[in-house]
Amino acid sequence: MNKTCIIILGPTAVGKTSLGIQLAQHFSTEIISADSRQCYKELNIGVAKPSSAQLQQVPHYFINSHSIAENVNAAAFETYALEKTRQIFNHHDVVVMVGGTGLYIKAFCGGIDPIPPTKPGIRENIIAAYQANGIGWLQEEVKRNDPVYYAAGEIKNPHRLMRALEVVLSTGQSIVSFQQKQQIKRDFDIIKIGLELPKDELYNRINTRVDIMMAEGLPDEVKSLQPYRELNALQTVGYKELFSHFNGGISMQEAIEAIKINTRHYAKRQMTWFKKDKSVTWCSPEYRDMSEKLEQIMPH
């Protein structure tokens, strides 16, 4: 059997963590997380990190591996995950990857092009203008300068918008044009299993998860991170809304409702991204269902 990485992907709250652990135990192997927020030591409740009991069941990588002060991106993940994959393959035939960050999974599977260095001073000017004029100004500038990104990118994430504007003003090209044109072929097999649920069921899971996070102490976690709220790592659903509450912008009840709505929107965007990938085999989040699908498609 060739060395194989099985990737369990899908929207938030669909049940990837527990299924990934079952799968890793079945193959007596280890897990690499593909979640752009669970890697941060300082973020816990709000990013639905696996519990300490779950982390003890199977070795996990890219969880609690970085600080919120570090600049972690898809290129950094690609390097990190490929190195861990090679290490695990020294002892096992299978690696399990679990996560919902589509760009990280794409980088791992096929690589991404490096973006050329940007011109000095441009980023600082954009940040200052955004702080003075708000996200509406930022969206309009991106729409005017990089309509390609504006049509398909994350236009509610100020850090993504600022990055897109910085790249187009520095290079004259859309940030989209730097995406990998020619996929790199990895020297191991990759199998992608997507988990999905009916929309109503998924949204109920999301709402319940948010209520549990609040009961487990998410407000205290966010309050302790107030001094760092401008960092990119904290431009995250569950944190942004509570920062707004603590700064007097909205009530606690409004913040909770906003977290539920924004998490549902995020799950919808995840599904839109993953459904474009025709190499994904979809199934329900039941281990029996997933193992049957794997039995059909795993190389023997």
Side-chain angles (χ1 to χ4, degrees):
M1 172 176 150
N2 292 342
K3 300 288 186 181
T4 303
C5 180
I6 303 171
I7 302 177
I8 307 299
L9 54 83
T12 188
V14 79
K16 298 184 295 294
T17 297
S18 57
L19 268 171
I21 288 171
Q22 283 180 278
L23 189 62
Q25 288 174 327
H26 174 81
F27 285 105
S28 301
T29 189
E30 303 174 3
I31 291 174
I32 300 171
S33 166
D35 186 293
S36 64
R37 293 298 183 254
Q38 292 181 358
C39 62
Y40 296 116
K41 299 183 188 87
E42 299 88 345
L43 309 188
N44 290 293
I45 299 169
V47 295
K49 203 174 273 182
S51 67
S52 54
Q54 287 175 317
L55 292 174
Q56 285 169 1
Q57 286 179 283
V58 172
H60 284 69
Y61 301 98
F62 207 63
I63 288 181
N64 298 325
S65 53
H66 294 74
S67 162
I68 51 173
E70 293 179 71
N71 181 27
V72 181
N73 54 29
F77 175 76
E78 179 189 0
T79 302
Y80 177 101
L82 286 172
E83 178 59 30
K84 290 298 178 192
T85 299
R86 289 189 192 97
Q87 290 173 10
I88 297 169
F89 279 151
N90 286 332
H91 307 285
H92 307 282
D93 289 330
V94 173
V95 167
V96 175
M97 180 173 283
V98 178
T101 302
L103 187 60
Y104 282 23
I105 292 170
K106 182 178 183 225
F108 173 78
C109 293
I112 54 171
D113 278 348
I115 294 172
T118 50
K119 293 174 183 172
I122 286 183
R123 181 166 186 79
E124 290 72 17
N125 292 340
I126 292 170
I127 292 170
Y130 161 63
Q131 288 173 340
N133 301 303
I135 194 165
W137 170 86
L138 191 53
Q139 288 168 335
E140 283 302 313
E141 285 297 297
V142 172
K143 187 177 182 180
R144 188 162 62 85
N145 289 281
D146 188 351
V148 177
Y149 176 83
Y150 188 84
E154 287 189 51
I155 60 166
K156 292 186 178 177
N157 183 322
H159 284 264
R160 294 275 165 85
L161 287 166
M162 284 191 279
R163 179 64 174 149
L165 189 56
E166 177 191 10
V167 169
V168 74
L169 294 180
S170 292
T171 67
Q173 292 177 255
S174 169
I175 195 168
V176 176
S177 70
F178 294 103
Q179 291 176 344
Q180 183 78 21
K181 300 292 189 298
Q182 188 61 47
Q183 286 250 319
I184 295 167
K185 181 76 176 76
R186 302 300 185 197
D187 60 356
F188 49 87
D189 290 333
I190 295 173
I191 292 172
K192 297 176 192 166
I193 299 286
L195 305 184
E196 63 179 339
L197 283 167
K199 188 167 74 173
D200 289 350
E201 192 177 338
L202 180 65
Y203 286 3
N204 284 337
R205 281 196 187 199
I206 287 170
N207 294 340
T208 301
R209 176 187 272 187
V210 173
D211 290 335
I212 291 169
M213 285 176 172
M214 296 302 293
E216 287 179 344
L218 181 59
D220 290 337
E221 178 175 313
V222 175
K223 194 179 285 185
S224 72
L225 293 165
Q226 280 260 66
Y228 312 103
R229 64 183 178 274
E230 296 301 326
L231 292 176
N232 187 37
L234 288 161
Q235 310 309 308
T236 300
V237 177
Y239 295 82
K240 291 189 298 184
E241 297 83 358
L242 285 169
F243 286 141
S244 182
H245 164 68
F246 291 129
N247 295 331
I250 54 176
S251 70
M252 179 61 86
Q253 196 50 50
E254 287 170 329
I256 294 168
E257 193 52 41
I259 293 170
K260 291 178 179 178
I261 291 168
N262 291 336
T263 306
R264 295 196 298 265
H265 288 166
Y266 175 57
K268 188 177 179 182
R269 290 197 303 275
Q270 286 175 299
M271 286 302 287
T272 300
W273 174 289
F274 289 130
K275 284 289 185 176
K276 290 176 186 168
D277 186 345
K278 300 308 175 192
S279 66
V280 176
T281 300
W282 291 94
C283 63
S284 72
E286 293 177 13
Y287 186 66
R288 187 172 53 84
D289 188 12
M290 184 178 69
S291 57
E292 283 175 6
K293 286 276 171 39
L294 272 174
E295 187 62 35
Q296 295 164 15
I297 59 179
M298 276 284 281
H300 296 289

